[in-house]
Every structure is written in structure tokens, then in C-alpha cells.
Amino acid sequence: MKASATRRIQPSLTPWRRWGTARLIAMALLTMATTAAGASAVKVGMIVPMSGPFAAYGKQIVNGAKLYLQQDGQDGTCDVELLIRDDTGIAPDLSKRLARELIVNDKVDVLAGFGLTPSAFAVAPLATQARTPMVIMNAATSSITTKSPYIVRVSQTLPQVTAPVAEWAARNDIQSVYTVVADYGPGHDAEKQFTKTFTEGGGTIVGGVRTPVSSPDFSSYLQRAKDAKPDAVFLFVPSGEQGVAFLKGFKDRGLAEQGIALIATGDLTDEDVLDSMGQPAEGVISSFHYSDVHDSPENDAYTQAYRQTYNDERPNFMSVAGYDGMHLICQAQDKTQGDMSGDTFMDAVKGMQWTSPRGPVEIDPETRDIIQTIYMRQVERVGDELHNVEFDKKERFRDPGKE
Ligand code: PHB
């Protein structure tokens, strides 16, 4: 039985004497079957933002995870019970409390999810103490995997998705850049990697600013960037509404008209918000590991199934991490024949390889981070939608943040 949690049957409280013999027998058989399935089901506790300003992260991650289990249910052998908990965004104490409850009360085998870096940092010590594997499905500060030997990441790191666009800029006539990054782990990683790769390629950083991670007002930062007269602005903000606001300001304040290009990690042009950005997004260059128009049979099947299952919504990189994270958990379950103890699970995932909708991926046995292709993309209008159209790639690219 697959994805059993959603189908588990609750015992009825109806007095037994009202039941006919046949019904009692059927009930007993069902209970036996359910108990047997329950004994081997892997309990996965997912901690993700399902409400608040980052609610879209939880939606995409959970959608991807459930889609994997639904597809596996058709022909696979994976038996997973998902327990989903809402940590509301940047609330590390809450993430920690939820993780403790999942470990102690619900006795989960695996923790998963983690939309934002502060939540992953907060839970890492618990994973170590309890020897519970933690599968990171978004949080992207490079050092997260160093915080516990029980952490494995299936998403991306900021240095990994930043270095290619920095290299591209230095090679494509961009001589000076002003950096704008969110003022927390992933933003600091992006700023550091961009500066390193771009200056090594001959470019100059003419200034930079770190913006508040919650509800920033970009107007003064945009003015400062404009006044610095760079060839381009490099941007990292957590994906979602912040990027939409930044792009609007970039256009309204005339940076594009002044000939300043906008380059970014693909967090900016995430498919979940890309269409709402409209015309100002057209032409934006980014590097990233997933585009919903990535050309492969696996991605065609994935995007089609996602849109069919979820009301024609577009999948983004977070949904793919949820999908791949579940693939990794199911493969580990298979490899260990259901022994999900922390050390056995971690041994099973080190070096694991598979073909994701994003392309070929593997888990670096040294760092437990993902090795994957990073694509250069440009936003183009295809039909009535905006898309990140890939035009170059770096294959088997490791996180340079670990160097
Ligand atoms: C993070 O907090 O690590 C994070 C959040 C959103 C992103 C990327 C990284 O788009």
C-alpha cells in the first residue's frame, strides 16, 4: 500500500452488536491490513510555511511531494505517511518546537521541508541529537549541511546558483555591477559568491546593499543602485512577492531606461510569480537549476501531471525539490529494506543518483549536498505565459560555497 496515511481507516465506534457477522469479519481484515501497512510506513514530518508571506513555499513543496507519492502509488512500492506542520515562515523557535513534537510525540523517521534558512538552522541540532535524517527541500544557505551529519539537501545552494550568472556577466560585456541581496544567510552567500566570481572574471563591484528580509521597501535601495550607474544590478531576494515589488520599482524608477541590466538567481523569476511580473520581467537573465520549460521527457511528464493535478497551476523549483525529496526517501526505504534509522538512511542517500524533472542529479557523498546542472536562462514570452528559456548550462555543478 502506498501513501497510506491519506487512506488510513479510522476504527468505528458503532456498538458491535449492531453489526452483522460479515461486516465484523470485513472490519477485522481491514484492521489487520491497515496495521500491517502502518508497521512499515515511513513517517515523514514536513515542516514548511503554509501560511503567512511565504505560504507559497509550503504549497509548492507539499504539492510536489504528494504528486510523487500519488504517482508511486500507481506502480511503486513506497509506503509513506506525511505529517505536515506549518512553521509560518521565518519563525525558528516555532520550527524547532514543531520538530521536537514530531520527533518525540509522533516518532517520525524523517524530517523534511524547510522553506527558509533560519528554520533549517534551528532544527539542525535536534536532528543530530535524535539521529533523525533531515531532508532539506529549499533552504539554501551553503553551510546548512555542515550543521548536522543527518542533513541531506535536494534543492540548491545560493553559491551554486549564483556563480554561473556572475561568470556569464563577466564574459558578456558587463563591467560593473551593483549588488542587492536580502540581509540573511542566503543573501550573504549570494553576495560573496557573485563578488568572487565576477571580480575573478575581470569585473568591478561598484557598490552594494543588504535589504531587510521581511517586507522591505526597495525605493531608496533602487535609487542608490541607479546613482552608482553600474552596467547591471545583481539581485537575490527570497522568491515571491519581494521580487515582484523590486522589478516594478526597477522599471518605475527608470533603471532599465538608463541602460542598467538586471541579472539574478532564478529565485527572482520563479514560475509561481513570473506571470504576475509582466513586461518588466522580459529579458531578465538568471542562472538556476529548474525551469518549467526545461526540455526533457521527465519534465514534460512532470509539468503535465502537476498542472493536471493542481488546477493548471505552474510548478516551480520548490515543487521539484518536494518531488525529488520524496524520491530520495522512497529510494532510501527501498535500499535499506525499510530500516530508516539515521545512520543507515544517511549511508543510503550518499552518492544516490537519479533523473529529476530538472535534469540529472546526485547527492555528493562528502557534503550531502546536491550536484546538478545549472542553466543560464532568459525570460521570454511563450504564448500567453512568461518563461525562463534556457540557453546555456553547467553540468554536474557542485556547491562552490564548500570550497
Ligand atoms: C532560504 O531562506 O534559504 C531561501 C528562501 C527563498 C529562496 C532561496 C533561499 O528563494
Side-chain angles (χ1 to χ4, degrees), residues 117-132 134 136 139-153 185 189 346 366-369 402:
T117 287
S119 124
F121 276 149
V123 174
L126 294 183
T128 307
Q129 272 166 28
R131 299 181 182 222
T132 302
M134 211 175 136
I136 307 283
T141 300
S142 174
S143 64
I144 287 173
T145 45
T146 68
K147 301 298 176 196
S148 169
Y150 294 95
I151 293 181
V152 55
R153 176 158 38 200
D189 271 7
M346 294 311 294
E366 305 298 319
T367 62
R368 291 161 276 105
D369 242 321
K402 302 286 183 324

PDB file of all heavy atoms in Angstrom, residues 117-132 134 136 139-153 185 189 346 366-369 402:
ATOM      1  N   THR A 117      16.076  29.376   5.465  1.00  0.00           N
ATOM      2  CA  THR A 117      17.313  29.068   6.188  1.00  0.00           C
ATOM      3  C   THR A 117      17.176  29.105   7.716  1.00  0.00           C
ATOM      4  O   THR A 117      17.630  28.182   8.388  1.00  0.00           O
ATOM      5  CB  THR A 117      18.423  30.019   5.704  1.00  0.00           C
ATOM      6  OG1 THR A 117      18.803  29.603   4.385  1.00  0.00           O
ATOM      7  CG2 THR A 117      19.640  29.995   6.607  1.00  0.00           C
ATOM      8  N   PRO A 118      16.561  30.153   8.312  1.00  0.00           N
ATOM      9  CA  PRO A 118      16.531  30.179   9.780  1.00  0.00           C
ATOM     10  C   PRO A 118      15.859  28.949  10.380  1.00  0.00           C
ATOM     11  O   PRO A 118      16.258  28.471  11.450  1.00  0.00           O
ATOM     12  CB  PRO A 118      15.735  31.463  10.092  1.00  0.00           C
ATOM     13  CG  PRO A 118      15.945  32.327   8.886  1.00  0.00           C
ATOM     14  CD  PRO A 118      15.992  31.379   7.724  1.00  0.00           C
ATOM     15  N   SER A 119      14.875  28.407   9.698  1.00  0.00           N
ATOM     16  CA  SER A 119      14.191  27.227  10.223  1.00  0.00           C
ATOM     17  C   SER A 119      15.107  25.995  10.146  1.00  0.00           C
ATOM     18  O   SER A 119      15.168  25.193  11.079  1.00  0.00           O
ATOM     19  CB  SER A 119      12.862  27.069   9.473  1.00  0.00           C
ATOM     20  OG  SER A 119      12.719  25.847   8.868  1.00  0.00           O
ATOM     21  N   ALA A 120      15.865  25.864   9.070  1.00  0.00           N
ATOM     22  CA  ALA A 120      16.794  24.721   8.947  1.00  0.00           C
ATOM     23  C   ALA A 120      17.896  24.811   9.999  1.00  0.00           C
ATOM     24  O   ALA A 120      18.241  23.808  10.640  1.00  0.00           O
ATOM     25  CB  ALA A 120      17.395  24.690   7.542  1.00  0.00           C
ATOM     26  N   PHE A 121      18.438  26.013  10.208  1.00  0.00           N
ATOM     27  CA  PHE A 121      19.483  26.185  11.231  1.00  0.00           C
ATOM     28  C   PHE A 121      18.952  25.816  12.617  1.00  0.00           C
ATOM     29  O   PHE A 121      19.634  25.189  13.416  1.00  0.00           O
ATOM     30  CB  PHE A 121      19.968  27.643  11.274  1.00  0.00           C
ATOM     31  CG  PHE A 121      21.037  27.977  10.249  1.00  0.00           C
ATOM     32  CD1 PHE A 121      21.127  29.257   9.709  1.00  0.00           C
ATOM     33  CD2 PHE A 121      21.964  27.023   9.839  1.00  0.00           C
ATOM     34  CE1 PHE A 121      22.107  29.581   8.774  1.00  0.00           C
ATOM     35  CE2 PHE A 121      22.955  27.334   8.908  1.00  0.00           C
ATOM     36  CZ  PHE A 121      23.025  28.613   8.381  1.00  0.00           C
ATOM     37  N   ALA A 122      17.712  26.229  12.899  1.00  0.00           N
ATOM     38  CA  ALA A 122      17.147  25.994  14.242  1.00  0.00           C
ATOM     39  C   ALA A 122      16.941  24.506  14.522  1.00  0.00           C
ATOM     40  O   ALA A 122      17.093  24.062  15.654  1.00  0.00           O
ATOM     41  CB  ALA A 122      15.821  26.749  14.375  1.00  0.00           C
ATOM     42  N   VAL A 123      16.597  23.742  13.496  1.00  0.00           N
ATOM     43  CA  VAL A 123      16.250  22.333  13.712  1.00  0.00           C
ATOM     44  C   VAL A 123      17.481  21.409  13.641  1.00  0.00           C
ATOM     45  O   VAL A 123      17.473  20.313  14.218  1.00  0.00           O
ATOM     46  CB  VAL A 123      15.156  21.902  12.692  1.00  0.00           C
ATOM     47  CG1 VAL A 123      14.860  20.416  12.776  1.00  0.00           C
ATOM     48  CG2 VAL A 123      13.868  22.708  12.923  1.00  0.00           C
ATOM     49  N   ALA A 124      18.554  21.869  12.999  1.00  0.00           N
ATOM     50  CA  ALA A 124      19.731  21.002  12.797  1.00  0.00           C
ATOM     51  C   ALA A 124      20.226  20.321  14.085  1.00  0.00           C
ATOM     52  O   ALA A 124      20.479  19.105  14.082  1.00  0.00           O
ATOM     53  CB  ALA A 124      20.852  21.795  12.131  1.00  0.00           C
ATOM     54  N   PRO A 125      20.357  21.047  15.221  1.00  0.00           N
ATOM     55  CA  PRO A 125      20.855  20.364  16.432  1.00  0.00           C
ATOM     56  C   PRO A 125      19.941  19.234  16.901  1.00  0.00           C
ATOM     57  O   PRO A 125      20.425  18.236  17.440  1.00  0.00           O
ATOM     58  CB  PRO A 125      20.905  21.495  17.478  1.00  0.00           C
ATOM     59  CG  PRO A 125      20.869  22.768  16.712  1.00  0.00           C
ATOM     60  CD  PRO A 125      20.156  22.488  15.440  1.00  0.00           C
ATOM     61  N   LEU A 126      18.632  19.370  16.671  1.00  0.00           N
ATOM     62  CA  LEU A 126      17.702  18.307  17.070  1.00  0.00           C
ATOM     63  C   LEU A 126      17.908  17.061  16.212  1.00  0.00           C
ATOM     64  O   LEU A 126      17.815  15.932  16.693  1.00  0.00           O
ATOM     65  CB  LEU A 126      16.240  18.765  16.923  1.00  0.00           C
ATOM     66  CG  LEU A 126      15.762  19.883  17.845  1.00  0.00           C
ATOM     67  CD1 LEU A 126      14.291  20.158  17.604  1.00  0.00           C
ATOM     68  CD2 LEU A 126      15.985  19.501  19.292  1.00  0.00           C
ATOM     69  N   ALA A 127      18.180  17.280  14.917  1.00  0.00           N
ATOM     70  CA  ALA A 127      18.428  16.140  14.020  1.00  0.00           C
ATOM     71  C   ALA A 127      19.634  15.355  14.522  1.00  0.00           C
ATOM     72  O   ALA A 127      19.635  14.121  14.544  1.00  0.00           O
ATOM     73  CB  ALA A 127      18.657  16.632  12.593  1.00  0.00           C
ATOM     74  N   THR A 128      20.667  16.100  14.956  1.00  0.00           N
ATOM     75  CA  THR A 128      21.876  15.440  15.464  1.00  0.00           C
ATOM     76  C   THR A 128      21.573  14.672  16.756  1.00  0.00           C
ATOM     77  O   THR A 128      21.907  13.490  16.864  1.00  0.00           O
ATOM     78  CB  THR A 128      22.984  16.482  15.722  1.00  0.00           C
ATOM     79  OG1 THR A 128      23.161  17.243  14.532  1.00  0.00           O
ATOM     80  CG2 THR A 128      24.294  15.819  16.108  1.00  0.00           C
ATOM     81  N   GLN A 129      20.911  15.349  17.694  1.00  0.00           N
ATOM     82  CA  GLN A 129      20.607  14.702  18.986  1.00  0.00           C
ATOM     83  C   GLN A 129      19.792  13.437  18.807  1.00  0.00           C
ATOM     84  O   GLN A 129      20.068  12.412  19.418  1.00  0.00           O
ATOM     85  CB  GLN A 129      19.766  15.640  19.856  1.00  0.00           C
ATOM     86  CG  GLN A 129      20.561  16.597  20.714  1.00  0.00           C
ATOM     87  CD  GLN A 129      19.633  17.691  21.266  1.00  0.00           C
ATOM     88  OE1 GLN A 129      18.431  17.486  21.452  1.00  0.00           O
ATOM     89  NE2 GLN A 129      20.202  18.854  21.509  1.00  0.00           N
ATOM     90  N   ALA A 130      18.756  13.530  17.951  1.00  0.00           N
ATOM     91  CA  ALA A 130      17.822  12.399  17.805  1.00  0.00           C
ATOM     92  C   ALA A 130      18.265  11.429  16.708  1.00  0.00           C
ATOM     93  O   ALA A 130      17.618  10.406  16.500  1.00  0.00           O
ATOM     94  CB  ALA A 130      16.425  12.924  17.489  1.00  0.00           C
ATOM     95  N   ARG A 131      19.347  11.775  15.993  1.00  0.00           N
ATOM     96  CA  ARG A 131      19.798  10.991  14.835  1.00  0.00           C
ATOM     97  C   ARG A 131      18.658  10.792  13.839  1.00  0.00           C
ATOM     98  O   ARG A 131      18.439   9.694  13.312  1.00  0.00           O
ATOM     99  CB  ARG A 131      20.321   9.620  15.260  1.00  0.00           C
ATOM    100  CG  ARG A 131      21.497   9.728  16.174  1.00  0.00           C
ATOM    101  CD  ARG A 131      21.994   8.361  16.554  1.00  0.00           C
ATOM    102  NE  ARG A 131      23.105   8.504  17.466  1.00  0.00           N
ATOM    103  CZ  ARG A 131      24.208   7.784  17.424  1.00  0.00           C
ATOM    104  NH1 ARG A 131      24.359   6.874  16.497  1.00  0.00           N
ATOM    105  NH2 ARG A 131      25.152   7.966  18.285  1.00  0.00           N
ATOM    106  N   THR A 132      17.925  11.861  13.609  1.00  0.00           N
ATOM    107  CA  THR A 132      16.802  11.819  12.660  1.00  0.00           C
ATOM    108  C   THR A 132      17.226  12.513  11.367  1.00  0.00           C
ATOM    109  O   THR A 132      17.628  13.679  11.398  1.00  0.00           O
ATOM    110  CB  THR A 132      15.574  12.544  13.257  1.00  0.00           C
ATOM    111  OG1 THR A 132      15.241  11.916  14.486  1.00  0.00           O
ATOM    112  CG2 THR A 132      14.382  12.488  12.324  1.00  0.00           C
ATOM    113  N   MET A 134      17.247  14.695   8.061  1.00  0.00           N
ATOM    114  CA  MET A 134      16.552  15.948   7.749  1.00  0.00           C
ATOM    115  C   MET A 134      16.757  16.197   6.255  1.00  0.00           C
ATOM    116  O   MET A 134      17.895  16.389   5.822  1.00  0.00           O
ATOM    117  CB  MET A 134      17.256  17.026   8.577  1.00  0.00           C
ATOM    118  CG  MET A 134      16.443  18.163   9.022  1.00  0.00           C
ATOM    119  SD  MET A 134      17.467  19.215  10.116  1.00  0.00           S
ATOM    120  CE  MET A 134      17.002  20.787   9.453  1.00  0.00           C
ATOM    121  N   ILE A 136      16.363  18.576   3.292  1.00  0.00           N
ATOM    122  CA  ILE A 136      16.097  19.996   3.023  1.00  0.00           C
ATOM    123  C   ILE A 136      15.527  20.149   1.613  1.00  0.00           C
ATOM    124  O   ILE A 136      16.169  19.762   0.622  1.00  0.00           O
ATOM    125  CB  ILE A 136      17.391  20.836   3.117  1.00  0.00           C
ATOM    126  CG1 ILE A 136      18.095  20.597   4.456  1.00  0.00           C
ATOM    127  CG2 ILE A 136      17.109  22.309   2.862  1.00  0.00           C
ATOM    128  CD1 ILE A 136      17.533  21.272   5.642  1.00  0.00           C
ATOM    129  N   ALA A 139      15.619  25.519   1.809  1.00  0.00           N
ATOM    130  CA  ALA A 139      16.593  26.394   2.481  1.00  0.00           C
ATOM    131  C   ALA A 139      17.986  26.239   1.865  1.00  0.00           C
ATOM    132  O   ALA A 139      18.494  25.123   1.759  1.00  0.00           O
ATOM    133  CB  ALA A 139      16.620  26.069   3.964  1.00  0.00           C
ATOM    134  N   ALA A 140      18.614  27.368   1.468  1.00  0.00           N
ATOM    135  CA  ALA A 140      19.707  27.269   0.500  1.00  0.00           C
ATOM    136  C   ALA A 140      21.017  27.928   0.910  1.00  0.00           C
ATOM    137  O   ALA A 140      21.900  28.128   0.080  1.00  0.00           O
ATOM    138  CB  ALA A 140      19.225  27.832  -0.841  1.00  0.00           C
ATOM    139  N   THR A 141      21.162  28.302   2.196  1.00  0.00           N
ATOM    140  CA  THR A 141      22.466  28.787   2.642  1.00  0.00           C
ATOM    141  C   THR A 141      23.446  27.621   2.591  1.00  0.00           C
ATOM    142  O   THR A 141      23.142  26.520   3.075  1.00  0.00           O
ATOM    143  CB  THR A 141      22.362  29.347   4.078  1.00  0.00           C
ATOM    144  OG1 THR A 141      21.419  30.416   4.069  1.00  0.00           O
ATOM    145  CG2 THR A 141      23.708  29.862   4.579  1.00  0.00           C
ATOM    146  N   SER A 142      24.619  27.863   2.027  1.00  0.00           N
ATOM    147  CA  SER A 142      25.553  26.762   1.784  1.00  0.00           C
ATOM    148  C   SER A 142      25.851  25.957   3.042  1.00  0.00           C
ATOM    149  O   SER A 142      25.873  24.721   3.032  1.00  0.00           O
ATOM    150  CB  SER A 142      26.851  27.328   1.206  1.00  0.00           C
ATOM    151  OG  SER A 142      27.807  26.316   1.095  1.00  0.00           O
ATOM    152  N   SER A 143      26.066  26.635   4.177  1.00  0.00           N
ATOM    153  CA  SER A 143      26.579  25.948   5.372  1.00  0.00           C
ATOM    154  C   SER A 143      25.553  25.047   6.057  1.00  0.00           C
ATOM    155  O   SER A 143      25.905  24.340   7.000  1.00  0.00           O
ATOM    156  CB  SER A 143      27.114  26.985   6.368  1.00  0.00           C
ATOM    157  OG  SER A 143      26.043  27.799   6.814  1.00  0.00           O
ATOM    158  N   ILE A 144      24.295  25.060   5.634  1.00  0.00           N
ATOM    159  CA  ILE A 144      23.261  24.281   6.344  1.00  0.00           C
ATOM    160  C   ILE A 144      23.667  22.810   6.494  1.00  0.00           C
ATOM    161  O   ILE A 144      23.541  22.232   7.574  1.00  0.00           O
ATOM    162  CB  ILE A 144      21.886  24.403   5.633  1.00  0.00           C
ATOM    163  CG1 ILE A 144      21.304  25.799   5.874  1.00  0.00           C
ATOM    164  CG2 ILE A 144      20.905  23.326   6.124  1.00  0.00           C
ATOM    165  CD1 ILE A 144      20.038  26.109   5.096  1.00  0.00           C
ATOM    166  N   THR A 145      24.204  22.221   5.442  1.00  0.00           N
ATOM    167  CA  THR A 145      24.530  20.781   5.519  1.00  0.00           C
ATOM    168  C   THR A 145      25.698  20.499   6.469  1.00  0.00           C
ATOM    169  O   THR A 145      25.910  19.352   6.846  1.00  0.00           O
ATOM    170  CB  THR A 145      24.861  20.201   4.120  1.00  0.00           C
ATOM    171  OG1 THR A 145      25.732  21.113   3.464  1.00  0.00           O
ATOM    172  CG2 THR A 145      23.614  19.988   3.291  1.00  0.00           C
ATOM    173  N   THR A 146      26.428  21.550   6.837  1.00  0.00           N
ATOM    174  CA  THR A 146      27.537  21.331   7.779  1.00  0.00           C
ATOM    175  C   THR A 146      27.041  21.347   9.228  1.00  0.00           C
ATOM    176  O   THR A 146      27.813  21.075  10.144  1.00  0.00           O
ATOM    177  CB  THR A 146      28.641  22.415   7.646  1.00  0.00           C
ATOM    178  OG1 THR A 146      28.102  23.676   8.102  1.00  0.00           O
ATOM    179  CG2 THR A 146      29.110  22.572   6.212  1.00  0.00           C
ATOM    180  N   LYS A 147      25.785  21.687   9.436  1.00  0.00           N
ATOM    181  CA  LYS A 147      25.273  21.848  10.801  1.00  0.00           C
ATOM    182  C   LYS A 147      24.830  20.528  11.435  1.00  0.00           C
ATOM    183  O   LYS A 147      24.553  20.471  12.621  1.00  0.00           O
ATOM    184  CB  LYS A 147      24.106  22.857  10.836  1.00  0.00           C
ATOM    185  CG  LYS A 147      24.477  24.231  10.327  1.00  0.00           C
ATOM    186  CD  LYS A 147      25.574  24.869  11.176  1.00  0.00           C
ATOM    187  CE  LYS A 147      26.008  26.217  10.605  1.00  0.00           C
ATOM    188  NZ  LYS A 147      27.276  26.707  11.136  1.00  0.00           N
ATOM    189  N   SER A 148      24.712  19.464  10.633  1.00  0.00           N
ATOM    190  CA  SER A 148      24.411  18.143  11.196  1.00  0.00           C
ATOM    191  C   SER A 148      24.774  17.075  10.172  1.00  0.00           C
ATOM    192  O   SER A 148      24.507  17.250   8.971  1.00  0.00           O
ATOM    193  CB  SER A 148      22.919  18.022  11.527  1.00  0.00           C
ATOM    194  OG  SER A 148      22.626  16.666  11.826  1.00  0.00           O
ATOM    195  N   PRO A 149      25.367  15.958  10.639  1.00  0.00           N
ATOM    196  CA  PRO A 149      25.661  14.875   9.684  1.00  0.00           C
ATOM    197  C   PRO A 149      24.395  14.158   9.205  1.00  0.00           C
ATOM    198  O   PRO A 149      24.476  13.312   8.324  1.00  0.00           O
ATOM    199  CB  PRO A 149      26.541  13.918  10.507  1.00  0.00           C
ATOM    200  CG  PRO A 149      26.240  14.233  11.937  1.00  0.00           C
ATOM    201  CD  PRO A 149      25.840  15.674  11.993  1.00  0.00           C
ATOM    202  N   TYR A 150      23.231  14.537   9.772  1.00  0.00           N
ATOM    203  CA  TYR A 150      21.972  13.887   9.362  1.00  0.00           C
ATOM    204  C   TYR A 150      21.195  14.729   8.349  1.00  0.00           C
ATOM    205  O   TYR A 150      20.047  14.448   8.055  1.00  0.00           O
ATOM    206  CB  TYR A 150      21.114  13.583  10.603  1.00  0.00           C
ATOM    207  CG  TYR A 150      21.815  12.554  11.465  1.00  0.00           C
ATOM    208  CD1 TYR A 150      22.616  12.947  12.532  1.00  0.00           C
ATOM    209  CD2 TYR A 150      21.743  11.205  11.158  1.00  0.00           C
ATOM    210  CE1 TYR A 150      23.310  12.006  13.289  1.00  0.00           C
ATOM    211  CE2 TYR A 150      22.432  10.259  11.898  1.00  0.00           C
ATOM    212  CZ  TYR A 150      23.219  10.666  12.961  1.00  0.00           C
ATOM    213  OH  TYR A 150      23.917   9.729  13.687  1.00  0.00           O
ATOM    214  N   ILE A 151      21.854  15.785   7.827  1.00  0.00           N
ATOM    215  CA  ILE A 151      21.175  16.635   6.835  1.00  0.00           C
ATOM    216  C   ILE A 151      21.593  16.240   5.422  1.00  0.00           C
ATOM    217  O   ILE A 151      22.777  16.035   5.142  1.00  0.00           O
ATOM    218  CB  ILE A 151      21.506  18.133   7.074  1.00  0.00           C
ATOM    219  CG1 ILE A 151      20.885  18.603   8.398  1.00  0.00           C
ATOM    220  CG2 ILE A 151      21.009  18.987   5.921  1.00  0.00           C
ATOM    221  CD1 ILE A 151      21.144  20.071   8.717  1.00  0.00           C
ATOM    222  N   VAL A 152      20.601  16.138   4.532  1.00  0.00           N
ATOM    223  CA  VAL A 152      20.857  15.971   3.094  1.00  0.00           C
ATOM    224  C   VAL A 152      19.978  17.000   2.383  1.00  0.00           C
ATOM    225  O   VAL A 152      18.857  17.267   2.805  1.00  0.00           O
ATOM    226  CB  VAL A 152      20.554  14.525   2.622  1.00  0.00           C
ATOM    227  CG1 VAL A 152      19.145  14.085   2.974  1.00  0.00           C
ATOM    228  CG2 VAL A 152      20.769  14.381   1.116  1.00  0.00           C
ATOM    229  N   ARG A 153      20.509  17.595   1.308  1.00  0.00           N
ATOM    230  CA  ARG A 153      19.737  18.659   0.637  1.00  0.00           C
ATOM    231  C   ARG A 153      19.439  18.268  -0.813  1.00  0.00           C
ATOM    232  O   ARG A 153      20.349  17.839  -1.532  1.00  0.00           O
ATOM    233  CB  ARG A 153      20.512  19.972   0.673  1.00  0.00           C
ATOM    234  CG  ARG A 153      19.833  21.110  -0.069  1.00  0.00           C
ATOM    235  CD  ARG A 153      20.269  22.495   0.357  1.00  0.00           C
ATOM    236  NE  ARG A 153      21.656  22.645   0.666  1.00  0.00           N
ATOM    237  CZ  ARG A 153      22.149  23.657   1.408  1.00  0.00           C
ATOM    238  NH1 ARG A 153      21.375  24.597   1.888  1.00  0.00           N
ATOM    239  NH2 ARG A 153      23.446  23.735   1.651  1.00  0.00           N
ATOM    240  N   GLY A 185      21.395  34.690   5.693  1.00  0.00           N
ATOM    241  CA  GLY A 185      22.293  33.666   5.145  1.00  0.00           C
ATOM    242  C   GLY A 185      22.374  33.563   3.632  1.00  0.00           C
ATOM    243  O   GLY A 185      23.450  33.758   3.051  1.00  0.00           O
ATOM    244  N   ASP A 189      25.532  34.705   1.197  1.00  0.00           N
ATOM    245  CA  ASP A 189      26.193  33.727   0.303  1.00  0.00           C
ATOM    246  C   ASP A 189      26.202  34.219  -1.142  1.00  0.00           C
ATOM    247  O   ASP A 189      27.200  34.089  -1.854  1.00  0.00           O
ATOM    248  CB  ASP A 189      25.415  32.399   0.304  1.00  0.00           C
ATOM    249  CG  ASP A 189      25.866  31.435   1.392  1.00  0.00           C
ATOM    250  OD1 ASP A 189      26.693  31.828   2.234  1.00  0.00           O
ATOM    251  OD2 ASP A 189      25.376  30.292   1.386  1.00  0.00           O
ATOM    252  N   MET A 346      21.324   7.737   6.082  1.00  0.00           N
ATOM    253  CA  MET A 346      22.324   8.636   5.515  1.00  0.00           C
ATOM    254  C   MET A 346      23.302   7.877   4.610  1.00  0.00           C
ATOM    255  O   MET A 346      23.683   8.374   3.552  1.00  0.00           O
ATOM    256  CB  MET A 346      23.079   9.388   6.620  1.00  0.00           C
ATOM    257  CG  MET A 346      22.214  10.355   7.421  1.00  0.00           C
ATOM    258  SD  MET A 346      21.173  11.488   6.455  1.00  0.00           S
ATOM    259  CE  MET A 346      22.399  12.513   5.643  1.00  0.00           C
ATOM    260  N   GLU A 366      30.372  13.453   0.100  1.00  0.00           N
ATOM    261  CA  GLU A 366      31.181  14.208   1.079  1.00  0.00           C
ATOM    262  C   GLU A 366      30.351  15.253   1.818  1.00  0.00           C
ATOM    263  O   GLU A 366      30.438  15.384   3.034  1.00  0.00           O
ATOM    264  CB  GLU A 366      32.323  14.977   0.368  1.00  0.00           C
ATOM    265  CG  GLU A 366      33.223  14.131  -0.491  1.00  0.00           C
ATOM    266  CD  GLU A 366      33.952  13.085   0.335  1.00  0.00           C
ATOM    267  OE1 GLU A 366      34.382  13.433   1.445  1.00  0.00           O
ATOM    268  OE2 GLU A 366      34.055  11.923  -0.128  1.00  0.00           O
ATOM    269  N   THR A 367      29.566  16.016   1.068  1.00  0.00           N
ATOM    270  CA  THR A 367      28.878  17.180   1.662  1.00  0.00           C
ATOM    271  C   THR A 367      27.387  16.936   1.899  1.00  0.00           C
ATOM    272  O   THR A 367      26.739  17.729   2.566  1.00  0.00           O
ATOM    273  CB  THR A 367      28.984  18.397   0.720  1.00  0.00           C
ATOM    274  OG1 THR A 367      28.320  18.074  -0.513  1.00  0.00           O
ATOM    275  CG2 THR A 367      30.430  18.764   0.430  1.00  0.00           C
ATOM    276  N   ARG A 368      26.827  15.883   1.329  1.00  0.00           N
ATOM    277  CA  ARG A 368      25.386  15.582   1.368  1.00  0.00           C
ATOM    278  C   ARG A 368      24.558  16.686   0.701  1.00  0.00           C
ATOM    279  O   ARG A 368      23.394  16.871   0.961  1.00  0.00           O
ATOM    280  CB  ARG A 368      24.913  15.338   2.808  1.00  0.00           C
ATOM    281  CG  ARG A 368      25.464  14.059   3.406  1.00  0.00           C
ATOM    282  CD  ARG A 368      25.379  14.043   4.904  1.00  0.00           C
ATOM    283  NE  ARG A 368      26.508  14.735   5.505  1.00  0.00           N
ATOM    284  CZ  ARG A 368      26.472  15.938   6.051  1.00  0.00           C
ATOM    285  NH1 ARG A 368      25.345  16.600   6.125  1.00  0.00           N
ATOM    286  NH2 ARG A 368      27.551  16.495   6.559  1.00  0.00           N
ATOM    287  N   ASP A 369      25.205  17.456  -0.167  1.00  0.00           N
ATOM    288  CA  ASP A 369      24.516  18.472  -0.956  1.00  0.00           C
ATOM    289  C   ASP A 369      24.301  17.940  -2.367  1.00  0.00           C
ATOM    290  O   ASP A 369      24.928  16.968  -2.770  1.00  0.00           O
ATOM    291  CB  ASP A 369      25.356  19.758  -0.997  1.00  0.00           C
ATOM    292  CG  ASP A 369      24.605  20.908  -0.351  1.00  0.00           C
ATOM    293  OD1 ASP A 369      23.380  20.990  -0.563  1.00  0.00           O
ATOM    294  OD2 ASP A 369      25.233  21.694   0.369  1.00  0.00           O
ATOM    295  N   LYS A 402      31.363  25.414  -0.643  1.00  0.00           N
ATOM    296  CA  LYS A 402      32.060  24.498   0.265  1.00  0.00           C
ATOM    297  C   LYS A 402      33.582  24.539   0.038  1.00  0.00           C
ATOM    298  O   LYS A 402      34.305  23.886   0.763  1.00  0.00           O
ATOM    299  CB  LYS A 402      31.571  23.044   0.049  1.00  0.00           C
ATOM    300  CG  LYS A 402      30.088  22.829   0.248  1.00  0.00           C
ATOM    301  CD  LYS A 402      29.720  22.855   1.719  1.00  0.00           C
ATOM    302  CE  LYS A 402      28.265  22.568   1.995  1.00  0.00           C
ATOM    303  NZ  LYS A 402      27.295  23.059   1.062  1.00  0.00           N
TER     304      LYS A 402
END
